[in-house]
């Protein structure tokens, strides 16, 4: 009787005995990152355009935060008060006077990369002006100015004619403006006055260092250096301060006065039950230069952008 084979007829031999088959498909291999980038909802959405590093793209992103019209230069004359005849309420206000404000020059996107209007105010004797600046004024046919400032505008529609005079009627009563001025300089101040440090103990081991700053940093653990931005004694004040959303209470076109709401009441976080807090006045001492421009965080005023049209409207109201 023949022996029964232990290998089935349907079973394939081992793979090393099989003939090699040529495969036409290509094996795709890749390396998967262990830390894939997380999706960012700010610039990976289908509705938002991709961020670009060009100057035109940067201006396009700022198109809604650049005012339509130019600003003006004024001088802070002081503070006074206005009473509401209906409610009898007293409103503290700041008086800003405009002195011979004229358009000196333009800046265009083709030449400078952005649109802006150079505005000058006051008057300065030619002997006190440098020759390059005298040539700048003579080129545009404008008398020498004591103060110069530049105000960005959104497009070429906001460029006023060179030599045009901007009066107080450029603003209207009830609108909101952003006021920029240099605050009062304090000179060199210590850490307690400049940053509100509590100082060293009044006694018990402290000798003649009660108002000193103390340690400026660690030694070996921090690299034996003072970190950038460390709060220390130094020059206090004298920098530009912007007060936003200042309401225009009154405009005197004859005397060139713009009366601004000095302290505007508001409630914290929109809570009607919270106590009323008063916003600060316009920064700077009396006689400082104030830059006024339409408020960025408020709707643009519905006013013509031409000086002649505004002047005709103001004369008609008088």
């Amino acid at each position: 009787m023949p022996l029964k084979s232990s290998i089935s007829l349907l079973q394939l031999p081992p793979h090393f005995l099989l003939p090699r088959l040529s495969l036409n498909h290509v094996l795709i291999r890749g390396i998967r990152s262990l830390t894939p980038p997380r999706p960012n909802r700010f610039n990976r959405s289908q509705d938002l355009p991709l961020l670009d590093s060009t100057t035109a793209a940067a201006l396009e992103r700022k198109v809604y935060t650049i005012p339509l019209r130019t600003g003006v230069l004024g001088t802070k004359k002081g503070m006074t008060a206005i009473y509401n005849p209906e409610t009898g309420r007293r409103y503290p206000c700041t008086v800003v006077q405009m002195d011979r404000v004229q358009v000196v020059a333009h800046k265009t996107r083709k030449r400078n990369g952005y649109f802006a209007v150079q505005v000058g105010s006051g008057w300065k004797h030619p002997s006190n002006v440098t020759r390059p600046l005298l040539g700048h004024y003579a080129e545009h046919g404008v008398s020498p100015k004591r103060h110069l400032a530049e105000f960005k505008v959104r497009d070429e529609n906001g460029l006023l004619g060179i030599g045009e005079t901007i009066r107080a009627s450029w603003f209207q009563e009830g609108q909101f403006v952003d006021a920029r001025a240099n605050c009062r300089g304090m000179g060199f101040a210590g850490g307690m006055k400049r940053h509100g440090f509590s100082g060293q103990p009044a006694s018990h081991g402290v000798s003649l260092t009660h108002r000193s700053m103390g340690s400026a940093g660690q030694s070996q653990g921090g690299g034996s250096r003072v970190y950038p931005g460390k709060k220390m004694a130094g020059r206090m004040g004298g920098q530009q301060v912007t007060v936003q959303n200042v309401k225009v209470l009154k405009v005197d076109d004859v005397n060139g006065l713009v009366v601004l709401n000095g302290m505007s009441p508001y409630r914290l976080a929109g809570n009607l039950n919270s106590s009323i807090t008063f916003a600060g006045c316009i920064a700077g001492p009396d006689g400082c230069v104030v830059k006024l421009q339409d408020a960025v965080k408020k709707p643009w005023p519905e006013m013509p952008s031409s000086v002649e049209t505004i002047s005709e409207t103001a004369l008609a109201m008088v």
Side-chain angles (χ1 to χ4, degrees), residues 201-227:
S203 62
H204 297 289
V206 178
S207 299
L208 305 179
T209 57
H210 305 286
R211 297 183 62 87
S212 66
M213 181 188 67
S215 175
Q218 59 272 40
S219 175
Q220 202 170 16
S224 300
R225 65 192 182 95
V226 178
Y227 288 161

Side-chain angles (χ1 to χ4, degrees), residues 6-177:
S6 61
I7 302 176
S8 176
L9 297 177
L10 300 178
Q11 186 178 1
L12 295 176
H15 65 88
F16 57 86
L17 296 178
L18 293 175
R20 291 186 177 180
L21 300 177
S22 60
L23 301 178
N24 296 327
H25 67 278
V26 180
L27 183 61
I28 300 177
R29 296 182 179 180
I31 300 176
R32 185 176 180 181
S33 176
L34 298 178
T35 57
R38 296 181 179 179
N40 190 351
R41 62 186 178 90
F42 293 102
N43 59 354
R44 297 177 68 93
S45 176
Q46 297 180 358
D47 300 333
L48 297 177
L50 295 177
L51 297 181
D52 201 353
S53 59
T54 61
T55 306
L59 293 174
E60 195 68 25
R61 290 193 296 269
K62 299 177 182 179
V63 66
Y64 296 105
T65 59
I66 299 178
L68 299 173
R69 310 186 309 161
T70 181
V72 300
L73 287 175
T75 305
K76 181 179 178 181
K77 306 303 292 185
M79 293 194 64
T80 182
I82 293 180
Y83 289 88
N84 191 343
E86 298 180 357
T87 61
R89 185 175 177 180
R90 178 182 181 272
Y91 290 92
C93 54
T94 304
V95 180
V96 178
Q97 186 175 24
M98 299 168 54
D99 180 20
R100 291 166 282 189
V101 180
Q102 282 184 291
V103 178
V104 178
H106 291 164
K107 288 195 174 181
T108 59
R109 181 175 296 182
K110 183 178 180 181
R111 185 174 182 179
N112 307 102
Y114 60 95
F115 292 103
V117 179
Q118 191 182 56
V119 178
S121 66
W123 181 81
K124 201 171 185 179
H125 199 276
S127 62
N128 297 327
V129 183
T130 60
R131 289 187 178 183
L133 201 54
L134 278 176
H136 178 69
Y137 290 124
E139 180 184 0
H140 299 92
V142 182
S143 61
K145 299 295 181 181
R146 178 162 295 274
H147 304 289
L148 276 177
E150 183 181 294
F151 297 92
K152 279 189 176 183
V153 293
R154 181 179 297 181
D155 49 22
E156 62 274 3
N157 296 327
L159 300 178
L160 299 178
I162 296 179
E164 290 191 16
T165 303
I166 305 177
R167 304 184 180 276
S169 56
W170 183 252
F171 301 106
Q172 62 180 354
E173 297 181 4
Q175 80 162 104
F176 293 88
V177 296

Side-chain angles (χ1 to χ4, degrees), residues 215-259:
S215 175
Q218 59 272 40
S219 175
Q220 202 170 16
S224 300
R225 65 192 182 95
V226 178
Y227 288 161
K230 169 65 180 172
K231 294 181 179 180
M232 304 175 68
R235 185 173 180 269
M236 181 180 177
Q239 71 272 12
Q240 180 176 277
V241 178
T242 302
V243 182
Q244 295 182 327
N245 305 333
V246 182
K247 190 175 182 180
V248 179
L249 298 180
K250 193 173 182 180
V251 175
D252 187 356
D253 195 27
V254 178
N255 298 318
L257 301 178
V258 179
V259 182

